């Protein structure tokens, strides 16, 4: 019975000790340990620049010859001479081939002889009429004789006119024995060889001649761009740029010639035709190229590198580096992308700093460390390698 007070006292001491220990650990009056700040994320940054930016409408088109002519013969005959080389540049009127002219020259000679004979007969008939007319007044010739002679003169005059027409037609046929280029251009593949007989009904003719200086481009744009194009065309002629299929090499610069008179309903597009001087022959008929129609120029437009723009569920955004060195998400509206630069319509201001590489480790408020020089170049290279690995 004496041990019970001792046990109770021991329990009270143990409970008191635990209470003091708990108070010491969880006492809110004691200061908590300081939190460790998040490390800064290394990034590559770029400035928002303000400059005049051209606004383009982009489409894909096919290069066609400004003029394209298949040289056909208007007469039949054997080809005695080919005077051009396939792929040769020719001028209008240059001789391409010679058809045997002898049959047509003989025809001219025959018609000429017939005409000369009829002219001689006319001279004789006119002389007789001149003799009969005074005799009629004196009663030594009948009126029937004079009338018959007048009719003969008239008939011979008509015959000579017919001879002249036949002679002119024969001379035209003789000129057709010379096959000449109707335009300035480049010859294609020859369709018939020397020694063969050429006919007006031959499907492919002698050769195809294509005019490539200047040259044309037919390209398409969405039909909803038509009002913008018409509005700008009313102010003056629009410029069109032709680029290679990879959209990196500028091939030539030309002018918009016309808009087609109807919309292609199956594709919802409009067809446009532009002309280019093609001084370096970089545009060739049949080539597929990218077309940029210069609509207007945005003065003091805001541009950033294209890699700065990210896509999220709510649209495009960029990371802006705030003055306190943290990354801030900023929604932006993109107008166009040209040559790796993005034209921003809204969301940014000139001279702000945006993250162009390293966004994958960022979130709202993340502290950043901007890399410069060699470190920035190495970060760009590493990012490019990571993107290339599937």
């Amino acid at each position: 019975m004496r041990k019970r007070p001792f046990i109770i006292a021991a329990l009270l001491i143990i409970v008191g000790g635990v209470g003091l220990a708990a108070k010491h650990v969880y006492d809110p009056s004691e200061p908590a340990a300081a939190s460790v700040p998040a490390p800064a994320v290394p990034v590559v940054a770029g400035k928002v620049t303000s400059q005049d930016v051209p606004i383009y409408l982009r489409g894909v088109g096919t290069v066609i010859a400004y003029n394209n002519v298949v040289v056909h013969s208007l007469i039949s005959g054997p080809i005695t001479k080919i005077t051009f080389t396939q792929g040769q540049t020719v001028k209008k009127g240059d001789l391409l081939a010679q058809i045997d002219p002898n049959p047509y020259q003989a025809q001219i000679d025959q018609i000429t002889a017939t005409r000369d004979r009829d002219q001689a007969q006319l001279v004789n008939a006119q002389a007789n009429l001149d003799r009969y007319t005074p005799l009629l007044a004196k009663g030594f010739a009948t009126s029937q004789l004079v009338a018959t002679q007048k009719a003969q003169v008239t008939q011979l005059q008509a015959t000579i006119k017919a001879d002249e027409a036949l002679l002119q037609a024969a001379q035209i046929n003789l000129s057709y024995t010379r096959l000449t280029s109707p335009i300035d251009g480049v010859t294609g593949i020859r369709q018939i060889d020397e020694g063969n007989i050429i006919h007006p009904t031959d499907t492919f003719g002698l050769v195809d001649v294509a005019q490539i200086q200047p040259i044309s481009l037919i390209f398409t744009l969405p039909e909803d761009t038509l009002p913008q194009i018409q509005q700008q065309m009313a102010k003056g002629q629009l410029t069109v740029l032709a680029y290679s299929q990879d959209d990196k090499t500028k091939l030539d610069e030309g002018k918009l010639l016309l808009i087609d008179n109807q919309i292609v309903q199956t594709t919802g597009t409009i067809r446009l035709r532009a002309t280019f001087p093609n001084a370096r022959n970089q545009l060739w008929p049949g080539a597929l190229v990218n077309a940029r129609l210069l609509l207007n120029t945005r003065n003091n437009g805001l541009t950033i590198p294209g890699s700065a723009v990210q896509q999220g569920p709510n649209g495009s955004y960029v990371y802006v580096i705030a003055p306190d060195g943290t990354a801030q998400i900023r929604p932006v509206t993109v107008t166009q992308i040209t040559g790796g630069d993005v034209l921003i319509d809204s969301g940014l201001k000139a001279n702000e700093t945006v993250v162009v590489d390293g966004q994958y480790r960022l979130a709202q408020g993340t502290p950043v460390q901007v890399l410069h020089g060699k470190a920035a170049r190495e970060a760009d290279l590493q990012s490019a390698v990571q993107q290339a690995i599937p």
Side-chain angles (χ1 to χ4, degrees):
M1 297 298 292
R2 292 180 178 178
K3 294 181 179 180
R4 182 173 297 175
F6 175 76
I7 294 174
I8 293 173
L11 291 174
L12 290 174
I13 293 172
I14 293 172
V15 171
V18 172
L20 290 173
K23 180 178 179 182
H24 177 74
V25 175
Y26 298 105
D27 190 357
S29 63
E30 293 186 8
S35 61
V36 179
V41 176
V43 297
V44 180
K47 287 288 186 180
V48 180
T49 59
S50 176
Q51 57 186 336
D52 293 343
V53 181
I55 304 298
Y56 294 109
L57 296 177
R58 298 167 179 268
V60 178
T62 303
V63 179
I64 63 172
Y66 193 81
N67 286 303
N68 194 290
V69 180
V70 178
V71 179
H72 283 277
S73 173
L74 296 177
I75 59 173
S76 297
I79 296 180
T80 59
K81 185 190 301 183
I82 299 286
T83 60
F84 73 95
T85 304
Q86 298 176 88
Q88 175 185 344
T89 300
V90 295
K91 298 294 184 181
K92 181 178 180 180
D94 285 352
L95 180 66
L96 302 178
Q98 177 70 58
I99 299 175
D100 185 10
N102 293 326
Y104 299 96
Q105 183 60 55
Q107 188 178 15
I108 290 177
D109 295 340
Q110 181 182 5
I111 296 173
T112 301
T114 301
R115 181 200 61 183
D116 294 343
R117 181 198 62 192
D118 293 337
Q119 286 178 340
Q121 291 177 351
L122 176 60
V123 171
N124 183 57
Q126 185 65 50
N128 289 334
L129 179 60
D130 293 341
R131 287 195 298 269
Y132 295 154
T133 301
L135 294 176
L136 177 62
K138 298 178 180 180
F140 297 113
T142 62
S143 59
Q144 181 180 2
L145 178 61
V146 174
T148 300
Q149 195 62 35
K150 286 183 179 180
Q152 186 178 7
V153 170
T154 303
Q155 180 182 359
L156 288 171
Q157 289 174 339
T159 300
I160 291 173
K161 288 183 179 180
D163 293 339
E164 294 287 352
L166 290 174
L167 181 59
Q168 185 178 5
Q171 290 171 341
I172 292 175
N173 285 336
L174 179 62
S175 68
Y176 289 158
T177 61
R178 291 173 51 87
L179 297 181
T180 58
S181 176
I183 60 173
D184 296 345
V186 176
T187 59
I189 298 174
R190 189 177 68 245
Q191 301 298 324
I192 189 169
D193 297 327
E194 186 175 313
N196 290 279
I197 297 177
I198 193 169
H199 306 87
T201 56
D202 292 341
T203 303
F204 301 106
L206 172 68
V207 71
D208 177 277
V209 181
Q211 183 177 1
I212 62 173
Q213 290 182 346
I215 203 167
S216 295
L217 172 66
I218 302 292
F219 64 102
T220 59
L221 291 173
E223 62 177 312
D224 57 5
T225 62
L226 179 59
Q228 306 174 55
I229 299 173
Q230 290 176 325
Q231 181 180 4
Q232 296 301 322
M233 286 184 68
K235 301 177 182 178
Q237 199 168 30
L238 300 183
T239 299
V240 180
L241 306 180
Y243 276 77
S244 58
Q245 292 188 31
D246 60 7
D247 211 25
K248 295 180 179 179
T249 304
K250 180 181 175 181
L251 302 177
D252 206 351
E253 179 176 325
K255 298 296 182 181
L256 181 64
L257 185 62
L258 60 91
I259 304 173
D260 198 7
N261 57 4
Q262 58 184 341
I263 293 174
V264 183
Q265 295 183 353
T266 55
T267 58
T269 58
I270 54 174
R271 300 171 74 240
L272 304 96
R273 181 167 185 167
T275 59
F276 297 84
N278 200 28
R280 296 179 294 171
N281 289 340
Q282 289 191 297
L283 295 175
W284 208 254
L288 189 67
V289 299
N290 291 307
R292 299 182 188 180
L293 175 61
L294 179 58
L295 201 60
N296 53 39
T297 300
R298 175 78 61 85
N299 295 324
N300 300 320
L302 301 179
T303 61
I304 58 175
S307 59
V309 180
Q310 306 294 303
Q311 297 298 325
N314 297 323
S316 302
Y317 68 94
V318 299
Y319 283 103
V320 177
I321 300 178
D324 61 358
T326 60
Q328 305 294 324
I329 297 178
R330 187 82 61 80
V332 294
T333 302
V334 176
T335 300
Q336 73 172 14
I337 302 175
T338 303
D341 290 333
V342 176
L343 176 62
I344 301 299
D345 193 50
S346 62
L348 293 174
K349 297 179 181 179
N351 297 319
E352 285 188 308
T353 304
V354 297
V355 178
V356 300
D357 192 22
Q359 298 96 325
Y360 67 98
R361 297 176 58 187
L362 298 182
Q364 176 70 18
T366 301
V368 297
Q369 175 190 358
V370 178
L371 301 177
H372 300 280
K374 182 179 179 181
R377 291 192 296 271
E378 290 177 350
D380 283 337
L381 179 60
Q382 181 179 4
S383 177
V385 172
Q386 290 175 346
Q387 293 177 1
I389 298 175

